[in-house]
Amino acid sequence: MLFLCIMKLFPKSELMEETNLFFALGPTATVMAFDLAKENIWTLDIGHIDLEYMWYLQNAQEKIPVAGRLVNEATKEQNVDIPENEKVKYETSIIKKM
């Protein structure tokens, strides 16, 4: 079923042999990667890579809240609203919506 949804978003004609797809969709990304691998389409689940980078930049020694991101591992209360100055950039970075 997931494979059919992906094929609606990315018709096979658009997926070249050298195409790599990057997903950050929680547990769904793992299942999608498996389904697409059976079709010889390479995928990579990059969930939380942005958080790891933000923690690296902050020299964080523990998993701390990051502005505009939901950090389910952080124990402190957090605001997950996207800052206004980042919202336009975020919205224009979306290629396709499901």
Side-chain angles (χ1 to χ4, degrees), residues 10-88:
F10 304 99
K12 194 129 185 172
S13 60
E14 289 182 23
L15 298 174
M16 311 286 235
E17 207 170 288
E18 300 291 318
T19 298
N20 293 312
L21 298 177
F22 298 88
F23 292 120
L25 302 168
T28 305
T30 305
V31 176
M32 285 185 174
F34 177 77
D35 287 349
L36 291 168
K38 292 189 292 187
E39 296 295 320
N40 234 7
I41 299 168
W42 287 86
T43 61
L44 183 62
D45 178 357
I46 59 168
H48 288 263
I49 199 166
D50 61 330
L51 294 173
E52 295 290 342
Y53 183 65
M54 296 301 288
W55 290 328
Y56 167 77
L57 291 177
Q58 295 176 31
N59 292 319
Q61 300 302 308
E62 60 186 47
K63 297 180 179 187
I64 59 174
V66 175
R69 308 288 196 291
L70 176 61
V71 183
N72 57 334
E73 296 97 343
T75 56
K76 298 175 185 164
E77 192 173 316
Q78 52 193 308
N79 177 3
V80 295
D81 293 332
I82 299 172
E84 281 303 316
N85 61 335
E86 295 291 323
K87 195 173 278 191
V88 172

